[in-house]
Amino acid sequence: MPFTKLGLGPALLDAVRELGYTEPTPIQIQSMPLILAGRDVIGSAQTGTGKTAAFGLPIIQMLGVHQKTPRALVLEPTRELAIQTDESLRKLARFTNIRVTVVYGGVGYQKQRDDFRDGVDIVVATPGRLLDHLRQHALKLDKVQHLVLDEADRMLDMGFLPDVKRIIEHCPRRRHTSLFSATIPPEIDGLIRWAMHEPQTVEIGERRMPAETVRHVIYPVAQSQKTQLLLALLEQIHWESVIIFCRTRRGADKVERLLKQNHHKAAVIHSDRSQKERQQALEGFKAGRFEVLVATDIAARGLDIADVSHVINYDVPEHPEDYVHRIGRTGRAKASGDAFTIMMTEDAPRVAGIEKFIKQRIERTKLEGFNYEYALALDQGRKASLPTGRVRGGRVGSGGYFAAPAGRRRR
Ligand code: AMP
């Protein structure tokens, strides 16, 4: 199905063409006609499926021409996601006169107030800062016709639901509401019943499944060799850009230091870093100045970073759904990617939880040439090992996978 069949005007079709989108993604095909028809939509699609354009294009289309007051509001759980969504919507709206602005904490208020005063059509915001502006009467939401609650499950995890409800109370009751969430826990179900009107659910594939284009394997290792294994992995694999996930902020800082000591160009992104540092890390990574980005789950959720060749889970994630989100950083928009998880003996229950959640066993493998010390995790790995699968450059666990000369990298 071409974009031209979806009822978009010429300005949006031009923007889509300019962005190089040749055909709509499944979530775009399914949700755009519903949103254009004025239906409330629940999208249970993973990040990287094109959901921003799925709601952005029909909303920009329906807003038509610029007016002075906000008529669309998009709530995002993190600053990075807010910034990224703002950038995407601006690109989609570039051939219209619709104005988009973004509002988040950790930076000054004045520029955001100035933007409201100048007049904007679409506000992308994190809940806390938006509430501050509402309390200060810096903007009104009484003309909002389109409300988007993006990554609702993450807003729940971060304790934002009460703020989200307060914000919704500032919006008119007659409006269109879209909600995107990888999972629908009971609290989100409650929000849906309260905030939405006869919503249509658009589900893209198995909600819990990692993208088919991601190949993922587990590297069991003794605790004492965890950092060595990470460094050895980085030496041996063909990687272009890597995100390394850690469970804690301190852990992420430690890994960043380790990488820098070993002459990797690394940056870190987590919630203890200032907004400026986070932005610099993200932009530097996207521009290729940093080849490795070390991140915690909350900081990295939903980040649109194109062409990440590898995700390494330095720590097994605490929550199974974070595994799906993490490895969603690679293999986006049909590109293929690899995701590696380093597993210690004590991680076995977490790994079992992930495998139950995604309804598949994750293959265990060993790094060729690595001088392994004994750990129970290695035995668990042997028992659990599955037939090898095709991966880029060879077969996992067969030796061919690491066939490239050690240390060679493509960038
Ligand atoms: P999202 O899920 O909105 O974060 O989008 C993930 C990535 O897919 C972004 O880099 C988008 O620019 C890209 N994208 C969105 N729609 C399409 C499309 N129809 N064709 C190709 N890429 C797309």
Side-chain angles (χ1 to χ4, degrees):
M1 144 121 38
F3 269 106
T4 45
K5 289 261 165 70
L6 287 171
L8 298 174
L12 291 175
L13 290 176
D14 284 349
V16 160
R17 204 172 307 122
E18 192 106 335
L19 283 165
Y21 301 172
T22 47
E23 55 181 26
T25 64
I27 192 167
Q28 290 163 0
I29 293 173
Q30 291 192 43
S31 50
M32 282 172 53
L34 290 169
I35 299 177
L36 284 169
R39 296 295 308 261
D40 283 4
V41 170
I42 300 170
S44 62
Q46 290 148 13
T47 55
T49 48
K51 67 184 160 74
T52 314
F55 66 78
L57 288 167
I59 287 176
I60 296 166
Q61 167 99 350
M62 287 191 285
L63 291 177
V65 291
H66 172 61
Q67 291 175 21
K68 285 257 165 192
T69 40
R71 286 172 297 144
L73 173 66
V74 182
L75 292 181
E76 297 284 350
T78 65
R79 303 161 188 186
E80 284 76 17
L81 267 171
I83 291 169
Q84 186 180 295
T85 303
D86 169 65
E87 280 170 7
S88 301
L89 294 178
R90 280 170 198 261
K91 284 182 192 154
L92 296 172
R94 67 202 296 182
F95 300 119
T96 72
N97 64 355
I98 292 294
R99 288 206 203 149
V100 189
T101 195
V102 63
V103 163
Y104 50 83
V107 293
Y109 285 77
Q110 196 53 45
K111 180 178 175 309
Q112 298 176 357
R113 285 197 202 108
D114 290 347
D115 284 351
F116 301 147
R117 206 165 304 131
D118 291 345
V120 289
D121 301 284
I122 304 179
V123 176
V124 182
T126 53
R129 175 58 64 95
L130 185 69
L131 264 183
D132 285 350
H133 283 299
L134 288 169
R135 286 195 196 104
Q136 295 164 12
H137 305 289
L139 95 158
K140 281 184 162 183
L141 299 176
D142 60 342
K143 297 283 186 293
V144 165
Q145 300 161 4
H146 303 279
L147 172 67
V148 179
L149 306 171
D150 198 13
E151 308 257 344
D153 47 354
R154 186 46 55 130
M155 293 210 263
L156 167 74
D157 289 350
M158 293 173 73
F160 284 151
L161 279 206
D163 282 357
V164 169
K165 288 191 175 164
R166 262 174 235 132
I167 291 167
I168 297 176
E169 280 166 353
H170 285 261
C171 299
R173 274 169 172 260
R174 272 181 66 87
R175 57 161 198 270
H176 303 302
T177 307
S178 307
L179 178 142
F180 294 87
S181 197
T183 53
I184 311 280
E187 294 90 337
I188 300 291
D189 210 30
L191 178 69
I192 288 170
R193 272 183 272 118
W194 179 73
M196 301 183 79
H197 178 67
E198 296 177 4
Q200 286 274 105
T201 300
V202 171
E203 207 163 319
I204 303 304
E206 271 257 4
R207 190 186 294 160
R208 290 174 165 186
M209 295 309 250
E212 281 166 16
T213 49
V214 180
R215 301 164 192 115
H216 42 133
V217 289
I218 286 177
Y219 285 90
V221 73
Q223 186 177 8
S224 57
Q225 289 191 300
K226 201 175 169 188
T227 53
Q228 270 168 273
L229 182 72
L230 175 69
L231 293 173
L233 263 173
L234 289 173
E235 277 309 309
Q236 288 202 23
I237 55 179
H238 283 291
W239 54 276
E240 291 144 39
S241 52
V242 192
I243 302 187
I244 298 178
F245 282 100
C246 297
R247 252 197 316 262
T248 64
R249 289 166 279 193
R250 275 182 59 192
D253 283 335
K254 253 172 71 181
V255 169
E256 187 208 17
R257 277 198 300 276
L258 173 82
L259 295 175
K260 283 184 168 162
Q261 282 158 7
N262 285 275
H263 314 294
H264 289 290
K265 287 187 219 144
V268 68
I269 184 162
H270 61 61
S271 52
D272 272 357
R273 294 292 173 110
S274 71
Q275 180 55 27
K276 200 169 157 211
E277 287 170 322
R278 288 156 69 169
Q279 208 47 33
Q280 277 172 351
L282 194 59
E283 278 162 16
F285 184 66
K286 281 187 179 181
R289 286 194 299 282
F290 304 116
E291 47 195 10
V292 186
L293 186 67
V294 185
T296 55
D297 290 299
I298 287 181
R301 174 72 194 263
L303 292 179
D304 178 21
I305 299 169
D307 304 326
V308 176
S309 66
H310 289 79
V311 165
I312 299 179
N313 293 318
Y314 182 70
D315 298 314
V316 177
E318 195 70 53
H319 306 292
E321 57 270 33
D322 280 332
Y323 182 79
V324 179
H325 293 139
R326 286 179 179 193
I327 71 172
R329 306 298 93 227
T330 184
R332 287 167 84 84
K334 294 186 187 155
S336 63
D338 296 318
F340 301 149
T341 300
I342 297 178
M343 172 188 159
M344 300 183 299
T345 308
E346 66 188 53
D347 293 321
R350 289 196 184 99
V351 169
I354 291 166
E355 291 178 325
K356 199 167 157 224
F357 183 77
I358 64 173
K359 297 195 196 109
Q360 29 172 295
R361 279 197 71 76
I362 310 166
E363 184 175 336
R364 274 68 164 171
T365 192
K366 275 187 165 184
L367 185 61
E368 190 104 324
F370 186 76
N371 196 11
Y372 280 94
E373 279 168 21
Y374 178 75
L376 189 59
L378 294 165
D379 265 354
Q380 290 163 336
R382 233 197 316 273
K383 265 183 245 143
S385 84
L386 290 175
T388 55
R390 289 285 316 161
V391 295
R392 182 192 300 160
R395 292 172 77 84
V396 172
S398 69
Y401 188 42
F402 300 113
R408 206 186 109 209
R409 289 175 198 153
R410 282 186 286 145
R411 235 223 102 103

